[in-house]
Amino acid sequence: MYVREPAIAYGKQKFTIEEYLKLENASDEKHEYYQGEIFDMSGAKQEHNRIMMNLYRELGNMLRGKPCQPNSSEMRVHIPQNTLFTYPDMSIVCGEPEYLNNDEFNLLNPTVIIEVLSPSTRSYDRGDKFQLYRAIPTLKEYILIDPEKICIEAFYINGQGEWALREYANMNDTLSILAVGVTLPLTDIYEDTKISKGA
């Protein structure tokens, strides 16, 4: 998703969480919330969407019947520790999902979060947003996928309890999502994109 400037069209600068949720539940568009501010999120380009469809299809098949299940970008994630409400491109939950106020709209306990980068969010996803995501107690892996070149950054918690990085930059590589015990060839992730067609 692309994140633009704070959405000031609502007529005020600061909102409570309750006000945000009321506006968001009545809106046809997605908005991110952080510390009283609401941010517009616009649609994604074709390459971004193709990668997400590939991921959702492949991971859905691999995780069928297992205790870990993928969610699309329609699932909103909330982090009470820093107030963030956002819509990751994909989240994976292991075990019983937990929701804010048991509403099934605001997921609290993702195990894996996957974001497909875009020009407007590249720095945010790698920096500030990753820092915010790290406040999620259940999060074990954070994966960033570049739709413009073969590049995947997979951050994970290592045996010392620290965040470490695995990088993939070859189409012959296979992405390992350690927290859910699956591997995914990059050829499947980038299938039918300009990269896979050599464009």
Side-chain angles (χ1 to χ4, degrees):
M1 291 294 175
Y2 298 100
V3 179
R4 298 181 290 195
E5 295 301 313
I8 59 176
Y10 289 122
K12 60 185 281 190
Q13 294 292 331
K14 294 289 185 179
F15 297 81
T16 66
I17 286 176
E18 290 73 19
E19 288 172 329
Y20 161 74
L21 291 174
K22 184 177 180 179
L23 289 167
E24 191 69 355
N25 292 338
S27 176
D28 293 329
E29 299 180 351
K30 297 176 183 176
H31 301 85
E32 188 171 274
Y33 175 94
Y34 179 61
Q35 293 189 351
E37 291 188 276
I38 296 177
F39 301 84
D40 287 326
M41 301 181 74
S42 64
K45 293 183 178 179
Q46 177 61 29
E47 297 299 283
H48 182 290
N49 289 330
R50 173 59 61 184
I51 289 172
M52 288 315 306
M53 286 189 291
N54 291 341
L55 282 170
Y56 197 72
R57 180 190 67 236
E58 296 299 325
L59 289 175
N61 288 332
M62 291 179 178
L63 296 173
R64 182 177 293 126
K66 296 184 178 181
C68 299
Q69 293 298 312
N71 295 298
S72 72
S73 61
E74 295 303 310
M75 176 60 71
R76 191 164 59 222
V77 169
H78 175 49
I79 309 174
Q81 292 87 339
N82 53 42
T83 77
L84 181 69
F85 285 85
T86 190
Y87 297 84
D89 286 315
M90 179 174 285
S91 59
I92 301 176
V93 180
C94 294
E96 193 68 25
E98 297 175 9
Y99 302 99
L100 178 68
N101 300 325
N102 297 316
D103 60 8
E104 297 191 8
F105 286 107
N106 300 288
L107 182 68
L108 298 173
N109 64 328
T111 303
V112 179
I113 288 177
I114 301 174
E115 297 279 16
V116 178
L117 299 173
S118 66
S120 64
T121 65
R122 186 178 301 270
S123 296
Y124 175 52
D125 287 339
R126 283 200 177 105
D128 291 346
K129 196 168 193 180
F130 183 26
Q131 190 67 35
L132 294 171
Y133 278 151
R134 286 164 67 170
I136 302 173
T138 57
L139 188 66
K140 304 301 181 186
E141 265 177 282
Y142 179 52
I143 298 169
L144 300 173
I145 300 174
D146 195 322
E148 298 179 350
K149 61 182 179 180
I150 303 170
C151 180
I152 296 178
E153 298 166 293
F155 297 89
Y156 67 101
I157 297 179
N158 62 22
Q160 290 72 48
E162 300 173 341
W163 284 95
L165 170 65
R166 303 186 314 279
E167 296 183 86
Y168 304 85
N170 190 299
M171 192 64 90
N172 294 322
D173 287 341
T174 298
L175 171 66
S176 295
I177 307 180
L178 305 176
V180 296
V182 300
T183 58
L184 189 59
L186 267 63
T187 51
D188 290 348
I189 296 173
Y190 287 102
E191 184 180 357
D192 290 332
T193 65
K194 292 179 181 177
I195 292 173
S196 69
K197 298 173 182 176

